[in-house]
Amino acid sequence: MVVGLVGSRDPGKRRRTLAATKLGKGAAWLSRTAGLGEGGIIGGRVAMALDRDVLSGLAAGRTVVLVTGTNGKTTTTSMVARALSAAGPVASNSTGANMPDGHVAALMARPDARYAVLEVDEMHLDVAAEQTRPAAILLLNLSRDQIDRVGEVRTVAARLRQVVVDNPQAVVVANADDPMVVFAAEPARRAVWVSVGGGRWTGDAASCPKCGERIDVSVERWACSCGLRRPEPAWSVHGQTVVTDGGRELELQLNLPGQVNYGNAALAMATVAQLGVVPEAALPRIREVSEVAGRYGDLVIGGRKVRLLLAKNPAGWHEMLQLVRTSGRPVMLVVNAREADGFDLSWLWDVPFEQLAGAQVVVAGERAADMAVRLRYARVDVTMNPDPVEAVRLAPPGDLDVIANYTAFRMLRVKGEA
Amino acid sequence: MSGTPRTSAVRIALVLPDMLGTYGDRGNVAVLAERLRLRGIDSEVVEINAGEFVPADCDLYMIGGGEDVAQLVAVRHLRQQGTLVAAAERGAVVLAICAGMQILGTSFVGSDGVVHGGLGLLDVSTRPMPKRAIGELVVRPDPAFGSELLTGFENHGGCTYLGQDARPLGAVLSGVGNGVNAVEGAVQGRVIGTYLHGPCLARNPQFADRLLSMVTGTELAPLSIPEVDALRAERLRAVGIR
């Protein structure tokens, strides 16, 4: 094995990759210099325009992990990358640029890295896997996300299943509690099942992805009459404890809040264990993750200190509402409905906002009125102003918890001061 | 059923939300129950999941939209039980949304590409549409359902043809609707189908109250909810109306 030499064995292909990479880097430099942005994505796009296969060239010779699912992609990718750094240098698209141009940019930035951990949009896993031939694929969870754009959950599950079939070289690390994920990962030649513990959204899994019949997902060992059932997990989370495939019990003690992140940490540990990083080496590194691309981070908006939380779909909102309910702080909810968010806000009615009853809630964002109506019918006391900086002044005194959906979150990161 | 105000609680059935409830359809039941409560009228919401029995004695039944596979399973469940059809024939009000409207029709094409028989409560048949209809939908309703425009979101791949016994819910002002003759939805007796998907009653309080009046037999005084007015104005403005 050639160690430290990353790239294709085909000299012609290596030359093309190199040329495309050089020009892409030039474009990235120009973009940064012109003050247009961080330059990563534009560099990736230029390199791809020059060489269609640049991603496969850049991935050749590296051990690649692909991370996908509806929620927790960015956070879990960051955990896997951090943990895998115990084995060697890691390239990763840590800012959440999860389309092919983002992958190219991430690999271009770290030509030295033996390992690559890439967050992948669910609808782009096929392309990413074909080009990078991953050693491991991590499947987190599948629920409704921007349904008018991405398509029905079952369609996504079927696509991921095909990727699993087409990549027999990859070990598939998958959430055993999610019927959609189990359906996708089931054909894997080698699967590592992880039970992620409680507190998960099950609203989209009630009807079986394989046959459409009802599955009772409230029981731990769910099973459908068609034969699809929860596999026996090799790893599992109980409260804050993870039980490894070797039967060892480790206290997670994460810096990130929320039950959902215990499951993400267990999935990350199971993944790097397949690549030779033992749980005892992985966990301290995973604990270092405290803020991921601004999520869970503190900001100052309109003179008020806020903790900024991202929620992109019913499952994410469900998780974040649990978090703010326990914090007891005043709450602001910020909602947009741009293309990246999905134009349809019907899902607001699937989220149990009733649990905010009794709290004084402020709503903002381009679609504040939709949220206000939802809360009004949930009998939650609500005040609204589309401008978050104005809206924040309507909140009761004290530090705030702010939950925002995708483009609203990005807007707040620009408006707020770190 | 008209004239005398009722004294018992209004029973609202949420039919198969685990199979047909992909787009926040349960919001309609929350809206109906809250609008009754604000007027001092009791209600009881009965949620019927797959495998459970649909009671025949509810006043109003709400069936939502869903993914294609679930649609086929749902129609089988409902046909086997027969109670929903019996309730509708007795005069219960039925609101069926998107895939829910399709399975209440005489026939529809399933995800398998095969023509399936529906429950036959609406004289409509649904066939695939060349291009999926996704976006804001604005409808001028049949006056029986109020004077205010109906606003909502549609997301469906079905073209719905009305037969002799069904009339449209309204005329399409913006969006696609049934995809035939610029009309939207279907009404037959007290069974109402619509492509205004998900929580359509949240944006259309007059429509919600019309359904409740059909059940209670009384005219209901309007409610003032400023957030709803703001939302309606904003959504209509977004498609260039008013």
Side-chain angles (χ1 to χ4, degrees):
Chain A
M1 193 169 80
V2 186
V3 178
L5 182 66
V6 170
S8 174
R9 275 193 287 261
D10 167 4
K13 185 165 184 178
R14 284 196 66 157
R15 269 198 302 279
R16 276 197 306 280
T17 305
L18 266 173
T21 308
K22 254 189 187 154
L23 284 162
K25 280 194 170 156
W29 176 83
L30 276 173
S31 166
R32 273 194 306 273
T33 311
L36 295 173
E38 289 178 34
I41 299 296
I42 186 75
R45 281 191 193 149
V46 167
M48 280 174 73
L50 292 166
D51 177 4
R52 207 163 40 86
D53 294 327
V54 69
L55 182 54
S56 93
L58 284 165
R62 308 199 210 216
T63 301
V64 176
V65 179
L66 301 182
V67 181
T68 198
T70 309
N71 284 322
K73 286 189 289 284
T74 306
T75 303
T76 312
T77 297
S78 174
M79 289 176 172
V80 174
R82 199 73 68 93
L84 201 52
S85 69
V90 179
S92 186
N93 52 340
S94 53
T95 56
N98 62 14
M99 308 280 193
D101 47 3
H103 303 148
V104 169
L107 296 182
M108 271 167 47
R110 294 296 303 270
D112 60 312
R114 282 266 299 122
Y115 295 96
V117 181
L118 300 176
E119 169 187 339
V120 188
D121 176 79
E122 303 89 285
M123 298 307 267
H124 290 84
L125 187 69
D126 45 5
V127 175
E130 193 189 317
Q131 298 249 322
T132 65
R133 306 308 292 170
I137 297 174
L138 173 47
L139 299 179
L140 300 167
N141 51 67
L142 283 178
S143 66
R144 241 174 318 161
D145 192 13
Q146 312 158 21
I147 221 165
D148 55 323
R149 186 174 71 96
V150 181
E152 298 181 341
V153 189
R154 280 162 187 75
T155 314
V156 178
R159 266 182 88 148
L160 297 187
R161 186 178 163 99
Q162 190 57 46
V163 178
V164 167
V165 170
D166 294 341
N167 286 273
Q169 84 288 349
V171 57
V172 177
V173 180
N175 177 350
D177 298 330
D178 185 329
M180 296 291 161
V181 166
V182 172
F183 173 67
E186 200 188 23
R189 192 168 287 177
R190 208 151 50 90
V192 176
W193 300 106
V194 180
S195 172
V196 296
R200 284 273 174 177
W201 168 264
T202 53
D204 294 313
S207 133
C208 175
K210 205 168 198 169
C211 71
E213 282 290 342
R214 176 176 158 79
I215 306 179
D216 184 1
V217 280
S218 65
V219 295
E220 191 189 66
R221 292 166 179 275
W222 54 266
C224 180
S225 53
C226 74
L228 191 76
R229 58 170 56 240
R230 175 176 176 266
E232 200 50 51
W235 297 65
S236 56
V237 175
H238 304 274
Q240 293 207 38
T241 308
V242 62
V243 181
T244 70
D245 57 347
R248 292 189 303 281
E249 293 187 11
L250 299 172
E251 285 300 311
L252 285 165
Q253 294 170 339
L254 301 181
N255 275 310
L256 289 176
Q259 175 73 36
V260 63
N261 282 320
Y262 302 142
N264 291 338
L267 285 158
M269 287 164 74
T271 305
V272 299
Q274 292 297 315
L275 303 173
V277 178
V278 297
E280 286 77 3
L283 186 52
R285 288 182 156 79
I286 288 172
R287 285 192 190 121
E288 289 166 13
V289 179
S290 59
E291 181 186 317
V292 186
R295 294 146 207 213
Y296 310 103
D298 287 330
L299 272 184
V300 175
I301 295 170
R304 299 279 293 273
K305 193 174 154 199
V306 308
R307 176 168 66 164
L308 188 54
L309 305 167
L310 173 68
K312 294 186 286 190
N313 45 51
W317 280 93
H318 177 73
E319 285 155 8
M320 292 308 144
L321 282 177
Q322 286 183 318
L323 200 67
V324 304
R325 209 183 38 171
T326 50
S327 84
R329 300 179 187 186
V331 180
M332 179 163 83
L333 310 176
V334 193
V335 178
N336 289 351
R338 297 188 180 195
E339 187 173 5
D341 304 304
F343 297 123
D344 182 15
L345 287 176
S346 299
W347 55 264
L348 283 177
W349 295 82
D350 287 323
V351 177
F353 287 105
E354 283 76 8
Q355 58 187 290
L356 291 176
Q360 283 175 284
V361 179
V362 177
V363 298
E366 292 159 0
R367 297 295 291 269
D370 288 81
M371 182 62 98
V373 168
R374 172 69 187 97
L375 293 177
R376 185 59 77 199
Y377 276 113
R379 297 196 225 165
V380 176
D381 203 0
V382 58
T383 45
M384 117 176 137
N385 189 316
D387 180 350
V389 177
E390 293 293 322
V392 98
R393 303 199 173 110
L394 302 170
D399 294 352
L400 267 80
D401 274 341
V402 175
I403 312 178
N405 70 348
Y406 187 62
T407 65
F409 176 91
R410 285 197 319 199
M411 197 178 69
L412 287 171
R413 289 249 292 155
V414 174
K415 285 197 176 187
E417 304 141 42
Chain B
M1 251 185 136
S2 61
T4 43
R6 58 185 297 133
T7 48
S8 58
V10 173
R11 274 164 64 82
I12 303 171
L14 176 58
V15 181
L16 303 180
D18 54 344
M19 317 218 99
L20 297 175
T22 317
Y23 301 100
D25 310 81
R26 69 170 55 246
N28 294 315
V29 170
V31 168
L32 291 171
E34 181 65 4
R35 295 187 75 80
L36 286 170
R37 190 191 70 87
L38 289 168
R39 287 151 169 144
I41 304 171
D42 289 339
S43 65
E44 183 194 347
V45 173
V46 186
E47 184 168 327
I48 304 116
N49 286 299
E52 293 169 359
F53 196 71
V54 181
D57 61 348
C58 289
D59 299 297
L60 195 155
Y61 294 78
M62 213 295 298
I63 308 173
E67 302 186 10
D68 293 343
V69 182
Q71 193 180 16
L72 292 178
V73 178
V75 77
R76 205 172 64 225
H77 278 271
L78 293 173
R79 184 178 298 115
Q80 270 166 9
Q81 295 192 358
T83 39
L84 178 68
V85 173
E89 283 167 354
R90 170 179 56 76
V93 175
V94 181
L95 174 64
I97 291 169
C98 202
M101 168 167 73
Q102 297 177 1
I103 65 169
L104 257 52
T106 52
S107 72
F108 63 94
V109 173
S111 52
D112 48 9
V114 174
V115 178
H116 295 265
L119 296 179
L121 288 175
L122 287 170
D123 186 12
V124 303
S125 56
T126 302
R127 296 294 177 268
M129 202 178 240
K131 186 172 171 279
R132 207 170 167 83
I134 303 176
E136 293 283 328
L137 174 60
V138 179
V139 175
R140 182 176 302 289
D142 179 307
F145 295 95
S147 54
E148 285 180 0
L149 296 182
L150 301 175
T151 156
F153 197 88
E154 64 180 329
N155 183 353
H156 60 100
C159 207
T160 295
Y161 300 84
L162 301 186
Q164 296 236 315
D165 297 335
R167 65 178 207 271
L169 173 63
V172 174
L173 299 189
S174 177
V176 176
N178 291 359
V180 188
N181 298 333
V183 298
E184 203 294 300
V187 180
Q188 188 168 335
R190 290 154 77 87
V191 180
I192 297 123
T194 179
Y195 277 122
L196 293 160
H197 91 168
C200 65
L201 300 181
R203 284 199 205 173
N204 298 293
Q206 223 182 43
F207 183 33
D209 286 350
R210 286 303 306 149
L211 298 176
L212 291 175
S213 288
M214 285 166 75
V215 170
T216 59
T218 54
E219 279 304 312
L220 298 166
L223 292 172
S224 167
I225 304 180
E227 290 83 3
V228 174
D229 298 337
L231 175 60
R232 284 183 59 79
E234 178 205 295
R235 290 294 89 210
L236 290 171
R237 218 170 30 240
V239 293
I241 294 176
R242 267 192 267 183

